[in-house]
Amino acid sequence: MMEATVESTIEQSADSLVSRPATGERAPVAEGETVGSPFVDSPKMAMRNVDVFYNDKQAIFDVSMDIGSNEVVSMIGPSGCGKSTFLRALNRMNDTIEGARVEGSLRLEGQDIYDPKLDVVPLRARVGMVFQKPNPFPKSIYDNVAYGPRIHGLVDRRADLDDVVEDSLQRAGLWNEVKDRLNQPGTGLSGGQQQRLCIARTIAVSPEVILMDEPCSALDPIATAKIEELIAELSENFTIAIVTHSMQQAARVSSRTAYFHLGKLIEVNDTERVFTNPEHELTEAYITGRFG
Amino acid sequence: MDTSTLLAITAALAALAYVIGRGRSLSQAADIGGIRKLNSLPFYYGMLTALWCGLPALLLLVLWLIFDEAIIQALLIESLPADMRDLGGSELGLLLNSVQNIANGNSAGITNPDLLAAGQLLVSLRENSQRALAVVVLSGGLLFGVFGWARIRPQQKARFQVEAVFKIVLLLCSCIAIVTTLGIVLSVLFESLRFFQTVPFFDFVFGLDWSPQMAIRSDQVGGSGAFGAVPLFAGTLLISAIAMLVAVPTGLMAAIYLSEYAGSRIRSAVKPMLEVLAGIPTVVYGFFAALTVAPMIRDNGAVLGLDVSSESALAAGLVMGVMIIPFVSSLSDDVITAVPQSLRDGSFGLGATQSETIRQVVIPAALPGIVGGVLLAVSRAIGETMIVVMAAGLAANLTANPLESVTTVTVQIVTLLVGDQEFDSPKTLSAFALGLMLFVVTLALNYIALHVVRKYREQYE
Amino acid sequence: MNKSAEKTIDLVNRNLAKRYRAEKRFRFYGLLSISFGLLCLLFLFTDIIGKGHSAFLQTYVALDIHFDEEVLGIDNIDDPAQLMVANYDGVIRKALRDQFSEVSSRRDKRALYALISNGAGFDLQREFSLNPRELLGQTRTFWLVADDDVDTYLKSYRGSGEAFTGRLSEQQRGWVQTWVAEERIEKRFNRIFFTSGDSREPELAGIRGAIMGSLFTLAVTLVLSFPIGVAAAIYLEEYAPKNKWTDLIEVNINNLAAVPSIIFGLLGLAIFINFFEMPRSIPLVGGIVLTLMTLPTVIISSRAAIKSVPPSIREAALGIGASKMQMILHHVLPLAMPGMLTGAIIGMAQALGETAPLLMIGMVAFIVDIPGAVNDPATVLPVQIFLWSDSPERAFVERTSAAIMVLLAFLIIMNTLAVWLRKRLERRW
């Protein structure tokens, strides 16, 4: 079955898929194909026929979709559906896992991310990532934020670095809470503050894309609300792909939503469409709470 | 009958008690309708009887062995003529010594009939004691064995009682660690206190001159400066510092490479090979340092026009450093792998290179653990004996020049204590004072290190 | 924002080369460290083997021995006492004089006699005692042990151009060369090294006594430390309540594991030798001291092995009504046994290589006799190495290295056994 799908999608052009009529009725779809509108015009990132393996186990099956500029795409699906794996493939974080292998084409503004000659360091400077559990470095708050600019050599003077740190913390909505204790360890903050610190740390490098892997799963509802607010603000300047466990969150923060199921991308559509009138029966089953 | 035969017979008796006790429980069970009517399995009744037989016998044996010398001595003194009995402690001790010699068959040169008679008495007392011991132990075992056997009832909670004994034995075994520490502290402290009665503590700790040989003459006991341990401390620190300069960077970098860069195949090949270095006995390193490394350094130094001692601190320190490399590397490896992957991900996610991640995130995060490991390594270097005994010198030079010969605390302990010693000369006792210093310092280092490492582990659990 | 993003990537790219150079350097340091460690290992082994391999061969000299009744001083061949004390050295000396008849002065004679080991007479006595009747009055060729100076000289002579002459005079070397020319010199497997005890004469010194001493010491250590260590581990893992006393025990065990070994020697000296007045130099005391030293290792590894038995096994046993002791003895212990044995072997390997504490309790004495029990005076292999390394004769250097090779061989065998046990028998849950 897999073989057939690979062959059939390889030849599909983006145009033909985009032009698929977005009707209210659920179109009969062949199993294994992604329904909805996975592709956009002039995408920031374009993924085609992506397979991810952990040693012999395949975790992602033939996923193709686009992420447009300055949009927030959320990825939802039941546990173990591969959404986090897919996200980690976007800035080659899977490289750090032994035995992980990614196949297919992943492009950032036309450039192949998995080109063996491509350097992951500048790639990750362009595609930053925020992780599920807040992971501040055991350093001061200031050093946490300054870490990225420092290693990449983005600023020459201390004063500029101070500006970058302040600006990033401002944008992460953390400045007022921490400005008096920048020299205290980042690990001493509360969970929600830690996660916002991690976001500040990521935007301090001014990436083009920010990947967020369930950024609120370890946080309480109030902290979650703050992060969501922050995502909405950030979406003005950054392209954001967010994996989330919470459908409400996806509905609140994203413009488009992708639904993953057992390693396959089932449906990509405007968020509103997904939550009101999903095209695929699996999507509907999920959002109506029949599993997940 | 000597003690080991007695032990064997006691064991056989206990085994017999097991069989009989088990048999009794079985026959009682037969009367009341099978084993299922017993409180416990027949095995436990047998074990209980064997314990009743064996434990009192063992206890008697131990008590007897502890007290028989004292009792025999008291009887012996009783038998001596009154004028001998009234002698002072040390003279009486000398007399008793010659009696001992007579009893052991070295009566040459002793003609005093009283002493010869005492010697005879001692021999017979010892024989009687052995015989009485056998009788007491065996009859005790038998008596209690029969008592235990008679107590067997189907309702008796044999299993419960056996397990209680089992648990107490386990507890006693685990307390040996405490007893050992206590033994170390008491033995070292006791002799050290005796030493500090002749040589003031501050003269010992802050004195700059170490020449214990001079103190043999009674008029110079405690002579100023003869027992100043500062040169030894300095020598120990110098050699340890050289060792740490070799071991810490090398061990740490090796651990980093193996845990962060090397593939699993290289890791599984190289790690055991490095650990071979840790398994080589220190005496081998000592030989290597004294016969290969030290001459090599001296010859190379001579080529450069340097005057290198053939027992240079450098040779001992270098070889000690090589010995400690695997120690540092495996401890660092543990703490580096304990750094959560999420921190590395965080750094990689920002586009840091691997070395940037290691230097700025992994190492700072692992620092407490690494420091703990280094402290343990320091404590090892300070306490290391054979390498310095064989490759470092005996002269107590107060110098920081690694090309000169220095001596260390452990070298002096060995030199002072190897061979026969008298336990009342300050020369011998000073070794225990050095041992006390060594113990206190290494204990403190270990305690801090283990504490730091444990705190570190908790942080990431 | 796009503009600033472009700026970012340009900045990143500008510094990239420098950062990758740093990365390469860092990796190189890592590789360098590992290579340094491995090179040290290689250097150590080649050095020891290079120095020690020649000790496994020993130079023998063929002499035509005439068993002269008069020289031997035997008048009644059936008297074993006479055979014991007969002047075997005399016949050897006579054979030497016969061969080099030009030697006349007392000093030269003594130089000639010095070429043959002092121990050669004992070998001759053993041969002669086998069938004295047949040999008496006869002349036979015997291979006799050469003195260590001859041995060292010939070994270095064959090895390189410049021979190490040591104490041999020009004249003595001449005699040796005569033997070489007559093919009366042969290097044979050094049996003495493995069959005799210590000796002041390098050519007669062997490691048998030290090996036996090590075996007895290790046996005492194993018999004491394994049961006690396992019992302590069981108590701490299965019974110990969480309280101050248990904490104290744990802290003590962890600290003892890192106390310098020489401190245990001080303990042994003060408590066992001085206070309990046990004899010096015996494997029993050595074994007890090493037990105290290795106990923490055994306890820690046994605890790890017990801990690795999953709780489900315990629950299953308790669930069908086994008592705690039954659960431990029937299920936990058998499953943890491979791990415990591995720990015990590692502890024993540590004890086998230990020297310092044994120096303290007098196991450094010069002991010729091979010990036969745990309370015979003995030395152990590492201490023998220490003693020999201090000896001035060059022939002892190669013997020391050879003894080290034997010691390392034992350690390698033990560690391989431990690794094999762990791989083969340990279950992965």
Side-chain angles (χ1 to χ4, degrees), chain B residues 44 159 163 171 181 183 187 250 253 261 280-281 287-288 292 351 353-356 390 417 421 423 446, chain C residues 19 23 27 33 41 44 47 51 235 249 252 256 258 266-267 270 274 280 323 325-326 389 401 404 411:
Chain B
Y44 289 102
R159 183 180 58 73
E163 293 192 352
L171 173 63
T181 311
S187 59
T250 320
M253 281 312 293
Y261 286 106
I280 293 174
F287 177 76
F288 182 63
T292 304
T353 65
Q354 207 159 357
S355 67
E356 284 159 357
M390 294 166 82
L417 288 186
Q421 356 34 46
F423 263 86
N446 296 341
Chain C
R19 289 167 65 193
E23 170 78 24
R27 270 183 96 121
S33 299
L41 186 67
L44 182 83
D47 183 57
K51 280 194 178 118
Y235 178 78
I249 294 177
N252 260 297
L256 276 184
L266 289 178
L267 168 80
N274 192 33
R280 282 170 191 275
S323 72
M325 178 174 149
Q326 285 167 330
S389 72
S401 304
I404 289 175
L411 289 175

Short mmCIF file of all heavy atoms in Angstrom, two decimals, chain B residues 44 159 163 171 181 183 187 250 253 261 280-281 287-288 292 351 353-356 390 417 421 423 446, chain C residues 19 23 27 33 41 44 47 51 235 249 252 256 258 266-267 270 274 280 323 325-326 389 401 404 411:
data_model
loop_
_atom_site.label_atom_id
_atom_site.label_comp_id
_atom_site.label_asym_id
_atom_site.label_seq_id
_atom_site.Cartn_x
_atom_site.Cartn_y
_atom_site.Cartn_z
N TYR B 44 12.36 -25.37 58.68
CA TYR B 44 12.57 -24.31 59.65
C TYR B 44 12.76 -24.87 61.05
O TYR B 44 13.51 -24.31 61.84
CB TYR B 44 11.41 -23.32 59.62
CG TYR B 44 11.42 -22.49 58.36
CD1 TYR B 44 10.56 -22.77 57.31
CD2 TYR B 44 12.32 -21.45 58.22
CE1 TYR B 44 10.60 -22.03 56.16
CE2 TYR B 44 12.37 -20.70 57.07
CZ TYR B 44 11.50 -20.99 56.03
OH TYR B 44 11.55 -20.26 54.89
N ARG B 159 9.44 -20.63 61.52
CA ARG B 159 9.87 -19.83 60.41
C ARG B 159 10.12 -18.39 60.84
O ARG B 159 11.14 -17.78 60.52
CB ARG B 159 8.82 -19.85 59.29
CG ARG B 159 9.25 -19.07 58.05
CD ARG B 159 8.21 -19.11 56.96
NE ARG B 159 6.92 -18.59 57.40
CZ ARG B 159 6.67 -17.30 57.61
NH1 ARG B 159 7.62 -16.42 57.42
NH2 ARG B 159 5.50 -16.89 58.01
N GLU B 163 13.71 -16.54 60.64
CA GLU B 163 13.87 -15.34 59.82
C GLU B 163 14.32 -14.15 60.65
O GLU B 163 15.05 -13.30 60.15
CB GLU B 163 12.56 -15.04 59.09
CG GLU B 163 12.26 -16.12 58.07
CD GLU B 163 11.15 -15.75 57.11
OE1 GLU B 163 10.50 -14.72 57.33
OE2 GLU B 163 10.93 -16.52 56.16
N LEU B 171 21.87 -7.69 59.40
CA LEU B 171 22.12 -6.36 59.96
C LEU B 171 23.55 -6.27 60.47
O LEU B 171 24.25 -5.28 60.22
CB LEU B 171 21.12 -6.09 61.08
CG LEU B 171 21.36 -4.80 61.87
CD1 LEU B 171 21.22 -3.60 60.97
CD2 LEU B 171 20.41 -4.68 63.04
N THR B 181 35.14 1.71 59.91
CA THR B 181 35.44 3.14 60.05
C THR B 181 35.85 3.46 61.48
O THR B 181 36.83 4.15 61.73
CB THR B 181 34.21 3.98 59.67
OG1 THR B 181 33.73 3.50 58.43
CG2 THR B 181 34.57 5.42 59.54
N GLY B 183 37.08 1.43 63.62
CA GLY B 183 38.40 0.84 63.87
C GLY B 183 39.50 1.73 63.33
O GLY B 183 40.50 1.97 64.01
N SER B 187 42.07 3.40 65.88
CA SER B 187 43.47 3.01 65.86
C SER B 187 44.36 4.18 65.51
O SER B 187 45.38 4.44 66.15
CB SER B 187 43.68 1.84 64.90
OG SER B 187 43.29 2.21 63.60
N THR B 250 43.02 15.54 30.28
CA THR B 250 42.98 14.37 29.40
C THR B 250 41.73 13.55 29.66
O THR B 250 41.02 13.17 28.73
CB THR B 250 44.22 13.49 29.64
OG1 THR B 250 45.34 14.32 29.83
CG2 THR B 250 44.45 12.57 28.49
N MET B 253 38.54 15.49 28.51
CA MET B 253 38.39 15.56 27.04
C MET B 253 38.10 14.17 26.48
O MET B 253 37.31 14.03 25.53
CB MET B 253 39.67 16.12 26.40
CG MET B 253 39.81 17.61 26.47
SD MET B 253 38.35 18.53 25.97
CE MET B 253 38.27 18.13 24.23
N TYR B 261 30.99 12.60 20.85
CA TYR B 261 31.37 12.52 19.44
C TYR B 261 31.43 11.09 18.92
O TYR B 261 30.91 10.79 17.85
CB TYR B 261 32.74 13.17 19.22
CG TYR B 261 32.73 14.67 19.26
CD1 TYR B 261 33.23 15.35 20.36
CD2 TYR B 261 32.21 15.41 18.21
CE1 TYR B 261 33.22 16.74 20.40
CE2 TYR B 261 32.20 16.79 18.24
CZ TYR B 261 32.70 17.45 19.34
OH TYR B 261 32.69 18.80 19.37
N ILE B 280 45.31 -1.63 36.18
CA ILE B 280 46.71 -2.02 36.39
C ILE B 280 47.11 -1.72 37.83
O ILE B 280 46.87 -0.62 38.31
CB ILE B 280 47.62 -1.28 35.40
CG1 ILE B 280 47.33 -1.77 33.98
CG2 ILE B 280 49.08 -1.50 35.73
CD1 ILE B 280 48.06 -1.01 32.91
N PRO B 281 47.68 -2.68 38.53
CA PRO B 281 48.07 -2.45 39.92
C PRO B 281 49.05 -1.29 40.04
O PRO B 281 49.88 -1.07 39.16
CB PRO B 281 48.74 -3.76 40.33
CG PRO B 281 48.25 -4.77 39.38
CD PRO B 281 47.97 -4.06 38.11
N PHE B 287 56.83 0.69 39.29
CA PHE B 287 57.98 0.12 38.60
C PHE B 287 58.24 0.88 37.31
O PHE B 287 59.38 1.25 37.00
CB PHE B 287 57.66 -1.36 38.31
CG PHE B 287 58.72 -2.08 37.53
CD1 PHE B 287 59.91 -2.47 38.13
CD2 PHE B 287 58.52 -2.38 36.20
CE1 PHE B 287 60.87 -3.14 37.40
CE2 PHE B 287 59.49 -3.05 35.47
CZ PHE B 287 60.67 -3.42 36.08
N PHE B 288 57.16 1.13 36.58
CA PHE B 288 57.24 1.85 35.30
C PHE B 288 57.82 3.25 35.53
O PHE B 288 58.71 3.71 34.80
CB PHE B 288 55.83 1.91 34.72
CG PHE B 288 55.72 2.58 33.39
CD1 PHE B 288 56.35 2.06 32.28
CD2 PHE B 288 54.95 3.71 33.24
CE1 PHE B 288 56.22 2.66 31.05
CE2 PHE B 288 54.82 4.32 32.02
CZ PHE B 288 55.46 3.80 30.92
N THR B 292 61.47 3.40 34.08
CA THR B 292 61.39 3.84 32.69
C THR B 292 61.21 5.35 32.58
O THR B 292 61.99 6.02 31.91
CB THR B 292 60.21 3.14 31.99
OG1 THR B 292 60.39 1.74 32.14
CG2 THR B 292 60.17 3.49 30.53
N GLY B 351 21.01 26.59 16.86
CA GLY B 351 22.06 26.59 15.85
C GLY B 351 23.46 26.58 16.41
O GLY B 351 24.39 27.01 15.75
N THR B 353 27.00 24.95 17.42
CA THR B 353 27.76 23.79 16.99
C THR B 353 27.93 22.86 18.18
O THR B 353 27.64 23.22 19.32
CB THR B 353 29.15 24.17 16.47
OG1 THR B 353 29.89 24.71 17.56
CG2 THR B 353 29.07 25.18 15.35
N GLN B 354 28.43 21.65 17.89
CA GLN B 354 28.52 20.67 18.96
C GLN B 354 29.48 21.13 20.05
O GLN B 354 29.20 20.99 21.24
CB GLN B 354 28.98 19.34 18.38
CG GLN B 354 28.49 18.18 19.21
CD GLN B 354 28.49 16.90 18.41
OE1 GLN B 354 28.81 16.89 17.24
NE2 GLN B 354 28.12 15.82 19.05
N SER B 355 30.62 21.70 19.63
CA SER B 355 31.58 22.09 20.67
C SER B 355 31.05 23.27 21.48
O SER B 355 31.29 23.36 22.67
CB SER B 355 32.93 22.43 20.05
OG SER B 355 32.83 23.59 19.27
N GLU B 356 30.29 24.15 20.84
CA GLU B 356 29.69 25.26 21.59
C GLU B 356 28.70 24.73 22.61
O GLU B 356 28.66 25.15 23.76
CB GLU B 356 29.00 26.23 20.63
CG GLU B 356 29.97 27.11 19.88
CD GLU B 356 29.39 27.70 18.61
OE1 GLU B 356 28.23 27.37 18.27
OE2 GLU B 356 30.08 28.46 17.95
N MET B 390 57.89 4.00 45.20
CA MET B 390 58.91 3.48 44.31
C MET B 390 59.60 4.56 43.48
O MET B 390 60.76 4.41 43.13
CB MET B 390 58.30 2.43 43.38
CG MET B 390 57.83 1.20 44.16
SD MET B 390 56.76 0.12 43.22
CE MET B 390 57.96 -0.82 42.30
N LEU B 417 57.02 2.48 58.85
CA LEU B 417 56.32 1.33 59.43
C LEU B 417 56.74 -0.02 58.84
O LEU B 417 56.36 -1.05 59.38
CB LEU B 417 54.80 1.48 59.27
CG LEU B 417 54.18 2.54 60.15
CD1 LEU B 417 52.68 2.53 60.03
CD2 LEU B 417 54.56 2.34 61.60
N GLN B 421 58.67 -2.57 64.34
CA GLN B 421 58.63 -1.28 65.00
C GLN B 421 58.31 -1.46 66.48
O GLN B 421 57.73 -2.45 66.89
CB GLN B 421 57.64 -0.29 64.46
CG GLN B 421 56.73 -0.43 63.28
CD GLN B 421 56.14 -1.68 62.89
OE1 GLN B 421 55.62 -2.42 63.73
NE2 GLN B 421 56.16 -1.96 61.63
N PHE B 423 56.11 0.19 69.40
CA PHE B 423 54.93 1.04 69.38
C PHE B 423 55.01 2.18 70.37
O PHE B 423 54.06 2.88 70.57
CB PHE B 423 53.66 0.20 69.64
CG PHE B 423 53.00 -0.15 68.36
CD1 PHE B 423 53.40 -1.27 67.65
CD2 PHE B 423 52.03 0.66 67.84
CE1 PHE B 423 52.81 -1.57 66.45
CE2 PHE B 423 51.44 0.37 66.63
CZ PHE B 423 51.83 -0.75 65.93
N ASN B 446 36.27 13.11 50.11
CA ASN B 446 35.28 12.13 49.66
C ASN B 446 33.88 12.57 50.05
O ASN B 446 32.94 12.46 49.27
CB ASN B 446 35.51 10.76 50.30
CG ASN B 446 36.83 10.18 49.88
OD1 ASN B 446 37.39 10.60 48.88
ND2 ASN B 446 37.32 9.24 50.65
N ARG C 19 33.94 29.47 13.59
CA ARG C 19 33.32 28.56 14.55
C ARG C 19 33.64 27.12 14.21
O ARG C 19 33.83 26.29 15.08
CB ARG C 19 31.81 28.77 14.57
CG ARG C 19 31.45 30.09 15.23
CD ARG C 19 30.02 30.45 14.98
NE ARG C 19 29.11 29.52 15.60
CZ ARG C 19 27.81 29.48 15.32
NH1 ARG C 19 27.30 30.30 14.44
NH2 ARG C 19 27.03 28.60 15.93
N GLU C 23 35.43 24.22 16.36
CA GLU C 23 34.82 22.90 16.50
C GLU C 23 35.84 21.81 16.22
O GLU C 23 36.00 20.85 16.97
CB GLU C 23 33.65 22.80 15.52
CG GLU C 23 33.05 21.42 15.35
CD GLU C 23 32.14 21.08 16.50
OE1 GLU C 23 31.63 22.00 17.14
OE2 GLU C 23 31.98 19.87 16.78
N ARG C 27 37.39 18.95 18.78
CA ARG C 27 37.37 17.51 18.47
C ARG C 27 38.77 16.93 18.51
O ARG C 27 38.99 15.83 19.01
CB ARG C 27 36.82 17.30 17.06
CG ARG C 27 35.35 17.11 17.00
CD ARG C 27 34.98 16.84 15.57
NE ARG C 27 34.88 15.41 15.36
CZ ARG C 27 33.77 14.84 14.93
NH1 ARG C 27 32.72 15.56 14.68
NH2 ARG C 27 33.72 13.54 14.76
N SER C 33 43.44 13.43 23.51
CA SER C 33 43.39 12.88 24.86
C SER C 33 43.27 11.38 24.82
O SER C 33 43.96 10.65 25.54
CB SER C 33 42.21 13.46 25.62
OG SER C 33 42.33 14.84 25.72
N LEU C 41 49.08 3.36 27.50
CA LEU C 41 48.81 1.94 27.74
C LEU C 41 49.75 1.08 26.90
O LEU C 41 50.40 0.14 27.40
CB LEU C 41 47.36 1.65 27.36
CG LEU C 41 46.82 0.26 27.66
CD1 LEU C 41 46.76 0.06 29.16
CD2 LEU C 41 45.45 0.07 27.07
N LEU C 44 53.35 1.36 28.15
CA LEU C 44 53.52 0.59 29.39
C LEU C 44 53.67 -0.90 29.09
O LEU C 44 54.59 -1.57 29.56
CB LEU C 44 52.32 0.83 30.30
CG LEU C 44 52.35 0.16 31.66
CD1 LEU C 44 53.17 1.00 32.60
CD2 LEU C 44 50.96 0.00 32.22
N ASP C 47 56.85 -1.71 27.14
CA ASP C 47 58.01 -1.55 28.02
C ASP C 47 58.15 -2.78 28.93
O ASP C 47 59.23 -3.35 29.06
CB ASP C 47 57.83 -0.28 28.85
CG ASP C 47 59.03 0.00 29.73
OD1 ASP C 47 60.13 0.10 29.17
OD2 ASP C 47 58.87 0.10 30.96
N LYS C 51 60.99 -5.64 28.56
CA LYS C 51 61.96 -5.89 29.63
C LYS C 51 61.85 -7.30 30.17
O LYS C 51 62.83 -7.88 30.62
CB LYS C 51 61.72 -4.91 30.79
CG LYS C 51 62.30 -3.55 30.58
CD LYS C 51 62.31 -2.78 31.89
CE LYS C 51 62.92 -1.42 31.72
NZ LYS C 51 61.98 -0.35 32.03
N TYR C 235 20.59 -6.81 53.27
CA TYR C 235 19.97 -6.05 54.35
C TYR C 235 19.62 -4.64 53.87
O TYR C 235 18.51 -4.16 54.06
CB TYR C 235 20.89 -5.98 55.57
CG TYR C 235 20.28 -5.17 56.68
CD1 TYR C 235 19.29 -5.72 57.49
CD2 TYR C 235 20.61 -3.84 56.87
CE1 TYR C 235 18.68 -4.98 58.47
CE2 TYR C 235 20.01 -3.09 57.84
CZ TYR C 235 19.04 -3.66 58.64
OH TYR C 235 18.41 -2.91 59.61
N ILE C 249 25.15 3.88 57.74
CA ILE C 249 25.80 2.73 57.11
C ILE C 249 26.15 3.06 55.66
O ILE C 249 27.27 2.82 55.21
CB ILE C 249 24.89 1.49 57.17
CG1 ILE C 249 24.68 1.05 58.61
CG2 ILE C 249 25.48 0.34 56.36
CD1 ILE C 249 23.74 -0.12 58.77
N ASN C 252 28.98 5.49 55.33
CA ASN C 252 30.22 4.80 55.68
C ASN C 252 30.74 3.94 54.56
O ASN C 252 31.93 3.93 54.27
CB ASN C 252 29.98 3.91 56.89
CG ASN C 252 30.47 4.58 58.14
OD1 ASN C 252 31.66 4.83 58.25
ND2 ASN C 252 29.58 4.88 59.04
N LEU C 256 34.21 4.56 52.71
CA LEU C 256 35.26 3.54 52.81
C LEU C 256 35.77 3.15 51.43
O LEU C 256 36.95 2.85 51.27
CB LEU C 256 34.73 2.30 53.52
CG LEU C 256 34.75 2.34 55.04
CD1 LEU C 256 34.29 1.02 55.60
CD2 LEU C 256 36.13 2.66 55.57
N ALA C 258 36.42 4.94 49.12
CA ALA C 258 37.38 5.91 48.60
C ALA C 258 38.51 6.21 49.58
O ALA C 258 39.33 7.06 49.31
CB ALA C 258 36.65 7.20 48.22
N LEU C 266 47.23 0.63 58.06
CA LEU C 266 47.42 1.16 59.41
C LEU C 266 46.45 0.50 60.37
O LEU C 266 46.80 0.14 61.49
CB LEU C 266 47.20 2.67 59.42
CG LEU C 266 48.28 3.52 58.75
CD1 LEU C 266 47.88 4.98 58.79
CD2 LEU C 266 49.60 3.32 59.44
N LEU C 267 45.19 0.34 59.91
CA LEU C 267 44.18 -0.33 60.74
C LEU C 267 44.65 -1.73 61.08
O LEU C 267 44.62 -2.15 62.25
CB LEU C 267 42.86 -0.38 59.97
CG LEU C 267 41.79 -1.29 60.54
CD1 LEU C 267 41.08 -0.62 61.69
CD2 LEU C 267 40.77 -1.66 59.48
N ALA C 270 47.58 -1.62 63.60
CA ALA C 270 47.23 -1.20 64.96
C ALA C 270 46.31 -2.21 65.63
O ALA C 270 46.47 -2.51 66.82
CB ALA C 270 46.59 0.18 64.94
N ASN C 274 49.08 -5.22 66.52
CA ASN C 274 49.48 -4.65 67.80
C ASN C 274 48.51 -5.02 68.91
O ASN C 274 48.92 -5.41 70.00
CB ASN C 274 49.59 -3.13 67.68
CG ASN C 274 50.27 -2.52 68.88
OD1 ASN C 274 51.15 -3.15 69.46
ND2 ASN C 274 49.86 -1.32 69.25
N ARG C 280 52.77 -11.50 62.28
CA ARG C 280 52.98 -10.71 61.07
C ARG C 280 53.10 -11.61 59.86
O ARG C 280 53.31 -12.80 59.97
CB ARG C 280 54.31 -9.96 61.18
CG ARG C 280 54.24 -8.77 62.05
CD ARG C 280 55.65 -8.26 62.28
NE ARG C 280 55.61 -7.27 63.33
CZ ARG C 280 55.34 -6.00 63.11
NH1 ARG C 280 55.12 -5.59 61.89
NH2 ARG C 280 55.29 -5.15 64.09
N SER C 323 7.43 -15.98 52.27
CA SER C 323 7.90 -15.04 53.27
C SER C 323 9.01 -14.20 52.64
O SER C 323 9.49 -14.52 51.56
CB SER C 323 8.44 -15.76 54.48
OG SER C 323 9.68 -16.37 54.16
N MET C 325 12.08 -13.85 53.51
CA MET C 325 13.32 -14.60 53.38
C MET C 325 13.24 -15.58 52.22
O MET C 325 14.20 -15.74 51.46
CB MET C 325 13.57 -15.36 54.69
CG MET C 325 14.80 -16.22 54.68
SD MET C 325 15.04 -16.90 56.34
CE MET C 325 15.81 -18.45 55.97
N GLN C 326 12.08 -16.19 52.05
CA GLN C 326 11.91 -17.11 50.92
C GLN C 326 11.99 -16.35 49.61
O GLN C 326 12.63 -16.80 48.66
CB GLN C 326 10.57 -17.83 51.03
CG GLN C 326 10.57 -18.90 52.10
CD GLN C 326 9.19 -19.39 52.43
OE1 GLN C 326 8.20 -18.66 52.32
NE2 GLN C 326 9.10 -20.65 52.85
N SER C 389 61.94 -5.03 42.57
CA SER C 389 62.25 -3.80 41.85
C SER C 389 63.30 -2.98 42.61
O SER C 389 63.93 -2.11 42.04
CB SER C 389 60.98 -2.97 41.65
OG SER C 389 60.59 -2.41 42.88
N SER C 401 59.82 -7.57 35.73
CA SER C 401 58.91 -7.36 34.60
C SER C 401 58.14 -8.63 34.30
O SER C 401 56.94 -8.59 34.00
CB SER C 401 59.69 -6.94 33.36
OG SER C 401 60.43 -5.79 33.65
N ILE C 404 55.49 -9.02 36.75
CA ILE C 404 54.39 -8.11 36.41
C ILE C 404 53.54 -8.72 35.31
O ILE C 404 52.30 -8.66 35.35
CB ILE C 404 54.95 -6.74 35.97
CG1 ILE C 404 55.52 -6.01 37.18
CG2 ILE C 404 53.89 -5.91 35.30
CD1 ILE C 404 56.19 -4.70 36.85
N LEU C 411 45.18 -10.75 36.28
CA LEU C 411 44.16 -9.71 36.33
C LEU C 411 43.31 -9.71 35.07
O LEU C 411 42.09 -9.56 35.13
CB LEU C 411 44.81 -8.34 36.51
CG LEU C 411 45.41 -8.11 37.88
CD1 LEU C 411 46.14 -6.79 37.94
CD2 LEU C 411 44.31 -8.14 38.93
#
